[in-house]
Amino acid sequence: MDTELSYGYDRRRVWAEVDLTALDFNIDSITKCLPASTRLTAVVKADAYGHGAREIAKHLESVNAVYGYAVATADEAFALCDAGAKKPVMLLGYTFPESFERIVLEKIRPAVFREDTLTQYEAVVSSLHKSGDLVENETVRVHIAVDCGMRRIGVQPDETGLQFVKKALATKGVTVEGIFTHFSRADEKDLSCAEEELSRFTRFVEQVRALDGGEELMVHASNSAAIVTLSKAHLDMVRAGIVLYGLYPSDEVDRDKLPLKPVLSLKSSVVYVKELVAGCAVSYGGTFVTDQKMRVATVCAGYADGVARTLSGKGEVLVRGKRAPILGRVCMDQFMIDVTDIPDVTMGDTVTIIGRDGAEEISMDEIALKSGRFHYEFPCLIPPRVPRVVK
Ligand SMILES: *Cc1c(COP(=O)(O)O)cnc(C)c1O
C-alpha cells in the first residue's frame, strides 16, 4: 500500500508520527477488558484509519493478542496480503464479483448477505478447482452479516435470514466460518438500543446454532464502543477500530474503563516569522485583521494535509510547548498563527497540529469540536502526501 507520495525532500514540511508503543499500550488495555476466550481482530480499514495499514499490520503480525485483521474493501485486503500479513483477513463490506477469485486464492474472509454472492462464489471456487489453482476441498470461508438495527448490510434476523444461513451452509465451495452484526448505537450513555440489537442478534444466533453445521460458528458483534460499554457483547471475537488508535468512540463512554494513548500526531514547521502592525488582514478573505502589533508565523501545512479548513480562526497549534491560535483562513498548503506571546519562536520550529508538546496537548476531540467534524475523520483524511513516520 504505497500511500506515500514522497521523494523524501518534504519530511519537515508536514508529517504524521505513528507511535507503536502507544498502539501496544492500547492493545494491552483492550485485552484486559476481554475474557481470555474472546479474540481481538484489528480493524485496519482506510489505511488503518490513516495510520498506514502496511506498517501497522507489519507490527501486529507479531502481537499475539491480535487474532486477525478486518478491512472494508477488496483492495485493502489484497494490499495487506501483499504486505505479508499472514493472520486471517476479514472483509467487512460488500465486495464486487471481480474480486472473488483473488479473495478465494488469498484466503480472505468476505462478509456475505446476498444470495447472488453465494452462487457467484460457488461458481468461482468450482472453476478454480477445475483449473487446479485451488486445492480440492479448499473453500472460501465467509462470515454472514446480520442486520440488527444498523440497516446497512446484513440479512434480517428472522425467517428470511435463517433461510439465507441454510442456503450458505448448503452452498458447495463455501464454508461458513462466522456470523456477525454491527451496532448502530453502542456509543451512547443509554444502552437500551444497543441491548435490543444484541438480543435480536443472540436470539437469531441460537436459531442458527440449532441448524446442521451452524453449531461451531465464530460469533462477533462488538466494535470499539461495545468493547467499552457492553461486555456481554464480547462473544467469540471483537472488532476493534478507533480504540486501537487511542481515540474513544464518543464522549459518552466511560473512559476510565479503558485507558488509551493516541497513536498519531501531526506535525509541521514554522517557515517564516514576521512582525505586523495594527490593521493588517491575514490570509484569504481578510477574515482576521490585527488590532495591535503582532508576531505572526507561517506554518507549511494546510487543508490538503488534513488540517481542516473549518479550523480557520478557531483552532490552535502548539509551538515550544505553548498554544498559538490559527489566524484567518487555513489555506491549501499553509496557514498563519499568532506567536506574539511566544517571542522565542523562530523559523524551523516544530509545530504540533495534533498531539502533545510538553504539558500541552491538542487532541482529535478538541479539533473535532472546534472544526465541527467527527474525530474519526482526522486521521482518516490525512492524505498520501503527508509522510507517516513510525516510531
Ligand atoms: C468500522 C467497523 C468496525 C470498527 O469500528 P470502530 O468504531 O472504529 O471500532 C467494526 N465493525 C464493522 C463492521 C465496521 O464497519
Side-chain angles (χ1 to χ4, degrees):
M1 205 171 316
D2 265 329
T3 50
E4 281 184 32
L5 171 75
S6 166
Y7 297 96
Y9 296 105
D10 291 328
R11 294 208 174 112
R12 289 190 292 157
R13 196 183 81 81
V14 53
W15 68 98
E17 283 178 13
V18 176
D19 179 358
L20 295 178
T21 54
L23 180 66
D24 288 339
F25 176 90
N26 299 336
I27 290 169
D28 210 40
S29 231
I30 298 163
T31 310
K32 282 185 187 137
C33 266
L34 303 176
S37 57
T38 300
R39 289 167 162 155
L40 169 62
T41 272
V43 181
V44 295
K45 59 189 177 186
D47 202 21
Y49 293 47
H51 293 61
R54 178 191 276 273
E55 294 295 331
I56 296 286
K58 208 191 275 172
H59 180 72
L60 295 182
E61 273 296 302
S62 60
V63 175
N64 286 332
V66 173
Y67 165 73
Y69 311 103
V71 291
T73 76
D75 280 350
E76 288 175 343
F78 302 148
L80 275 184
C81 297
D82 286 347
K86 296 281 181 284
K87 293 182 176 181
V89 176
M90 194 195 155
L91 254 165
L92 298 168
Y94 175 73
T95 37
F96 291 85
E98 296 88 297
S99 59
F100 287 3
E101 193 175 296
R102 191 157 173 200
I103 285 174
V104 175
L105 290 173
E106 307 254 29
K107 307 193 184 346
I108 288 156
R109 278 76 160 167
V112 296
F113 50 94
R114 278 170 45 163
E115 299 219 352
D116 57 347
T117 307
L118 295 176
T119 15
Q120 285 154 351
Y121 272 118
E122 181 170 19
V124 166
V125 170
S126 153
S127 100
L128 287 172
H129 281 154
K130 281 200 191 100
S131 66
D133 291 307
L134 192 67
V135 185
E136 215 167 323
N137 298 330
E138 194 77 71
T139 57
V140 59
R141 275 168 266 194
V142 302
H143 288 231
I144 295 174
V146 185
D147 172 16
C148 297
M150 181 72 176
R151 315 276 145 71
R152 192 168 66 178
I153 60 166
V155 298
Q156 296 306 305
D158 60 14
E159 194 47 44
T160 63
L162 212 54
Q163 288 310 317
F164 180 86
V165 177
K166 281 182 191 160
K167 175 154 192 209
L169 288 169
T171 303
K172 279 228 306 273
V174 169
T175 302
V176 183
E177 181 179 67
I179 185 162
F180 74 104
T181 192
H182 184 59
F183 292 112
S184 65
R185 304 181 64 172
D187 59 344
E188 298 174 7
K189 191 153 244 137
D190 176 356
L191 289 169
S192 49
C193 286
E195 305 227 8
E196 179 56 37
E197 286 178 32
L198 178 63
S199 65
R200 252 176 241 147
F201 183 55
T202 49
R203 278 198 304 267
F204 186 66
V205 167
E206 266 169 44
Q207 290 176 276
V208 168
R209 284 204 155 130
L211 299 173
D212 235 4
E215 308 87 351
E216 300 287 324
L217 304 191
M218 196 189 289
V219 182
H220 50 111
S222 292
N223 55 359
S224 292
I227 289 172
V228 193
T229 61
L230 209 61
S231 51
K232 10 175 210 202
H234 290 165
L235 308 172
D236 298 330
M237 186 166 87
V238 298
R239 306 181 304 268
I242 202 77
V243 285
L244 279 182
Y245 310 104
L247 306 187
Y248 292 90
S250 80
D251 47 21
E252 290 184 35
V253 305
D254 182 0
R255 297 186 177 213
D256 296 336
K257 276 197 186 156
L258 190 73
L260 297 173
K261 289 183 185 168
V263 174
L264 184 137
S265 326
L266 185 64
K267 297 188 178 171
S268 181
S269 300
V270 168
V271 290
Y272 199 45
V273 183
K274 62 190 167 298
E275 302 266 350
L276 293 180
V277 296
C280 291
V282 176
S283 194
Y284 289 124
T287 56
F288 176 82
V289 181
T290 57
D291 56 0
Q292 54 175 11
K293 200 173 115 184
M294 278 179 96
R295 276 186 98 230
V296 173
T298 302
V299 182
C300 51
Y303 61 78
D305 301 297
V307 185
R309 188 171 178 275
T310 45
L311 288 171
S312 297
K314 288 187 193 153
E316 292 177 332
V317 297
L318 305 177
V319 198
R320 298 196 171 233
K322 297 206 175 78
R323 284 178 175 261
I326 295 174
L327 296 178
R329 289 192 186 144
V330 173
C331 314
M332 188 182 287
D333 326 290
Q334 307 171 75
F335 62 92
M336 278 64 80
I337 56 174
D338 176 8
V339 293
T340 312
D341 297 331
I342 325 172
D344 43 355
V345 167
T346 56
M347 291 181 271
D349 279 0
T350 295
V351 176
T352 301
I353 300 164
I354 299 168
R356 192 173 269 290
D357 181 1
E360 283 285 356
E361 182 180 9
I362 308 275
S363 67
M364 301 220 198
D365 291 331
E366 173 182 337
I367 54 174
L369 197 68
K370 287 181 173 164
S371 68
R373 268 173 35 177
F374 185 47
H375 60 313
Y376 282 51
E377 290 180 73
F378 284 95
C380 289
L381 295 180
I382 296 172
R385 86 168 179 186
V386 177
R388 272 65 172 174
V389 180
V390 177
K391 292 199 306 180

